[in-house]
Structure formats: C-alpha cells, structure tokens
C-alpha cells in the first residue's frame, strides 16, 4: 500500500479534528471508529473480508503501513474469523494518539502544547494542510448533495462518521438535520463499511458485552439455569511505540 495515500483512520481523525479548539470531537466513540476504520482499510487493500458478522484474513501479506500491519498480524494469529463487534469493542491502546502523532510527522497537523486548569500538560492539534481536510469534507458533502452513490472509500468514511456521532459536528443545528440523515443513509453503499459501522454502534449500545449462548452437546439439552458461555472479547492489537505517544491530548 503506497503511503502517498491517506488511510481511512487518518481521514476519519482529520474529520473529527475541531479547527477552533484543536481537540477531537466524540473522543470516546472516535477510538472505536479508528479501530473500525483499520478493518475497512485492510478490506480495501484486499487483506481481509467479511464472513457474516465476522472478519476473516484472506491475504496475510503486509500492507507496508506499520499500524495496519500490526492489526492484520493479530487477526492472522487468531486463526479463525473474529466477530467485528468483539474486535472493535476491545481495549483502545493509544490508537488515537498514534494516528495524531503520525499526522504530525507527516506535517498535516501541528502539536500545540498547553495546560489544563493551569497544571496538567495537554497537547492540542491544529490542521496545517487545510486543503486536505477540505478535500475530505468535500467528498462527503458531494455524496450527500448529489445523491450519486459514492466510491467505496467515501461510503465507508461516511458510515464511520455517522457511527461515531460526527454528524452533529459536521452538520450542526436544525439546518444540518437533512444532511445528517443523508450521511446515515450512505451506510448502505459499502458492505464492509456498513458491517463495521454497525459494529461500532453495537459496541456503544453495549452489544459487545452480551454473551453468546453456547450450543448444547448433541442429544443433550442445556442444563436448567446454566449460564450461557460468552465468547471472549478480543480487541485492537498492541500498537507500535512512537516517541510522541506520551503526550496527553486535550478532549
């Protein structure tokens, strides 16, 4: 995968970055969205594919992106398809900071140190390549305005933006209501984006914590009152260390 092209996690993060405050909108759900965006990017690269509500590795060859390849390797090690909701619902291990640090190294954002309450050190991020942010936003606006089915990347970005709650950030107020509705409707244009977006929303609604009932052995009914077995939740892999990960991010 050429690094000249921005990945979906990077684009989602740039969409969420508030140009006025230097903070990210919807920080808690955004972490889930970044994990989901990694899955969609790996699918667009032909490395994984949906298998029902699960994700299966089809080509384990690295993409050349260290953060994506870390996720791909952990998926490969599972040895069996993993439910998207369990993967996305796993612990977020600095994923947002990794992508902010990457965007800073690429010159697309600038870190601005500060303090919270005059004591706690914080870091805010200002977009420096505003043309890139405008281009990303323009793709969404065009898909919403024209009604023409967007390309899979834009459709997936729209689905993820809706899933993490960026609609009110991108299209605020009553005047943005119809745009928010059309943003939600774009979820149907990309199967993988739709699967991941619904998984993100399910995690936020607590669906990832719901246990799955284990089937009873053949010919033997489940014991009365027996507790259903839960499928263990598996999350985002440990990410590669970057020197600027230690910075605190103001939310």
């Amino acid at each position: 995968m050429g690094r000249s092209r921005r990945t979906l996690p990077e684009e989602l993060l740039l969409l969420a970055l508030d140009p006025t405050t230097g903070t990210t909108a919807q920080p808690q759900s955004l972490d889930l969205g970044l994990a989901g965006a990694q899955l969609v990017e790996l699918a667009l690269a032909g490395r994984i594919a949906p298998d029902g509500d699960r994700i299966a590795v089809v080509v384990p060859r690295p993409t050349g992106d260290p953060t994506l390849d870390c996720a791909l390797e952990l998926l490969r090690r599972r040895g069996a398809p993993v439910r998207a909701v369990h993967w996305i619902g796993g612990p977020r291990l600095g994923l947002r900071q990794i992508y902010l640090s990457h965007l800073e190294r690429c010159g697309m954002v600038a870190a601005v140190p500060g303090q919270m309450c005059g004591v706690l050190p914080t870091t805010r991020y200002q977009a420096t390549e505003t043309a890139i942010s405008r281009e990303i936003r323009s793709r969404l606006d065009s898909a919403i305005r024209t009604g023409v089915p967007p390309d899979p990347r834009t459709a997936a970005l729209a689905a993820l933006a809706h899933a993490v709650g960026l609609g009110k950030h991108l299209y605020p107020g009553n005047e943005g209501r119809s745009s928010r509705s059309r943003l939600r409707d774009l979820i149907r244009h990309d199967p993988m984006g739709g699967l991941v977006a619904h998984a993100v929303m399910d995690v936020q609604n607590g669906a990832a914590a719901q246990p799955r009932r284990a089937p009873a052995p053949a010919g033997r009914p489940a014991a009365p009152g027996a507790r259903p077995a839960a499928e263990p939740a598996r999350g985002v892999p440990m990410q590669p260390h970057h020197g600027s990960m230690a910075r605190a991010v103001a939310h």
Side-chain angles (χ1 to χ4, degrees):
M1 177 184 299
R3 293 302 300 130
S4 61
R5 185 177 67 186
R6 296 180 304 275
T7 64
L8 272 174
E10 293 162 7
E11 292 195 330
L12 184 65
L13 189 51
L14 286 171
L15 270 182
L17 194 62
D18 190 306
T20 303
T21 65
T23 61
T24 53
Q26 304 296 111
Q28 287 76 30
S29 57
L30 180 60
D31 290 345
L32 302 175
L34 291 173
Q38 285 189 313
L39 294 180
V40 179
E41 189 65 51
L42 287 170
L44 289 171
R47 301 314 196 263
I48 65 175
D51 182 6
D53 66 344
R54 296 172 182 263
I55 303 299
V57 175
V58 293
V59 177
R61 187 177 69 253
T63 67
D65 180 300
T67 310
L68 289 175
D69 289 341
C70 190
L72 177 63
E73 175 61 14
L74 200 62
L75 283 166
R76 186 193 66 79
R77 290 178 185 175
R78 286 295 304 274
V82 58
R83 291 188 70 206
V85 70
H86 283 170
W87 179 266
I88 292 169
R92 310 272 71 79
L93 300 177
L95 195 58
R96 183 163 25 122
Q97 184 59 52
I98 284 174
Y99 277 110
L100 281 169
S101 298
H102 171 73
L103 291 175
E104 182 188 4
R105 290 192 302 274
C106 292
M108 284 189 275
V109 301
V112 181
Q115 289 184 327
M116 181 184 296
C117 302
V119 179
L120 298 175
T122 63
T123 303
R124 298 176 185 273
Y125 291 86
Q126 298 291 341
T128 55
E129 294 288 344
T130 55
I132 294 176
S133 297
R134 287 197 300 269
E135 184 272 331
I136 297 169
R137 176 65 182 269
S138 176
R139 281 162 43 208
L140 284 187
D141 290 345
S142 177
I144 287 173
R145 183 179 63 255
T146 65
V148 176
D151 62 275
R153 181 173 294 274
T154 301
L157 181 62
L160 289 162
H162 167 70
V164 302
L166 289 183
K168 290 184 178 180
H169 167 70
L170 299 171
Y171 307 104
N174 288 333
E175 64 274 16
R177 184 178 300 173
S178 61
S179 293
R180 293 195 299 270
S181 177
R182 288 193 289 272
L183 180 71
R184 180 194 63 224
D185 292 342
L186 290 175
I187 201 170
R188 71 182 188 275
H189 290 295
D190 180 61
M192 185 65 180
L195 168 65
V196 170
H198 281 111
V200 169
M201 291 184 284
D202 284 345
V203 172
Q204 294 180 81
N205 293 330
Q210 298 299 319
R212 299 183 72 209
R213 186 175 300 276
R220 183 187 303 172
R227 297 181 64 185
E231 179 178 325
R234 299 296 178 93
V236 170
M238 181 69 73
Q239 303 295 339
H241 178 74
H242 294 273
S244 53
M245 276 184 62
R247 293 193 181 107
V249 183
H251 302 312

